[in-house]
Amino acid sequence: MKILLKTACKGIMTVVLFAAAVSAQAQTGIGTQTPDASAALEISSTTKGLLMPQLTSAQKNTMPTPATGLMIYDTDLNCISVNNGTPAAPSWGCTLLLNRKFFYMPSINIPTSTALIGVTQTKNLYAQYVSEFGTPKLASAGAPASIPYFANPTDLSYYVTYCDTDLIEISGIDANGVMTYKLLKNANYDSYMNIVFAPK
């Protein structure tokens, strides 16, 4: 009887010590023994990724009381979808930029003075985009100071979807978003060009 009691006490003590050790560990690591102190969970791998639950829009929208901040992959919208609302009133939205097939470049000015006609020039479309998104002239109350933007020029593909070919001759856009062009004549007041960025 004494031996059984001693064994039982040892088992209880082991469970208590294990539980204390688990509660003392503030972070959990998968694939790492040293998760970052700011992470509740860190997954580390150089050969595998994280696969989250994949739901259709209908399945997502009928999910009962989804937590605020809950994330799933929406197979209809092809995006990571986040509940920005509350469990009682969900408001699902695709995460910024991940679901965008393309977006228009911010407005740019291309000088069209007579002295520039026939002169080969360049315009760094990516640098202009970063400048305007990084330091917008005005933001609404409570909005972040800058708009998120792609960190590298090669994260994007660049397109001119419309231009007046009697006015401008575009010879190309390199992988970093630098457009090379020649002005053929002075611009009219209604001249414009559409430039589109597409995330790769």
Side-chain angles (χ1 to χ4, degrees), residues 16-111:
V16 168
L17 289 174
F18 176 75
V22 169
S23 64
Q25 177 66 32
Q27 298 81 35
T28 301
I30 298 174
T32 178
Q33 295 294 320
T34 55
D36 190 276
S38 65
L41 171 66
E42 180 178 341
I43 302 171
S44 179
S45 175
T46 57
T47 58
K48 296 179 181 178
L50 173 68
L51 186 61
M52 63 177 53
Q54 301 180 34
L55 286 73
T56 65
S57 293
Q59 291 169 327
K60 172 185 75 178
N61 292 328
T62 56
M63 186 186 303
T65 60
T68 299
L70 186 73
M71 294 189 297
I72 60 99
Y73 186 83
D74 188 311
T75 56
D76 292 326
L77 299 176
N78 293 322
C79 74
I80 295 173
S81 189
V82 181
N83 179 18
N84 298 310
T86 65
S91 176
W92 293 95
C94 285
T95 53
L96 186 64
L97 299 176
L98 293 180
N99 66 312
R100 298 292 296 271
K101 302 297 184 188
F102 72 92
F103 59 100
Y104 285 101
M105 181 183 175
S107 298
I108 58 171
N109 179 42
I110 295 181

Side-chain angles (χ1 to χ4, degrees), residues 88-177:
S91 176
W92 293 95
C94 285
T95 53
L96 186 64
L97 299 176
L98 293 180
N99 66 312
R100 298 292 296 271
K101 302 297 184 188
F102 72 92
F103 59 100
Y104 285 101
M105 181 183 175
S107 298
I108 58 171
N109 179 42
I110 295 181
T112 60
S113 66
T114 303
L116 296 175
I117 293 175
V119 178
T120 299
Q121 300 173 79
T122 60
K123 187 75 171 177
N124 190 324
L125 305 176
Y126 175 79
Q128 184 75 31
Y129 148 69
V130 169
S131 173
E132 291 193 33
F133 274 48
T135 55
K137 300 301 179 193
L138 187 66
S140 61
S146 64
I147 304 166
Y149 55 83
F150 286 91
N152 300 298
T154 52
D155 289 339
L156 298 165
S157 297
Y158 304 85
Y159 303 91
V160 174
T161 58
Y162 173 80
C163 67
D164 183 347
T165 53
D166 291 331
L167 172 65
I168 192 168
E169 177 186 289
I170 300 170
S171 55
I173 306 173
D174 71 15
N176 291 310

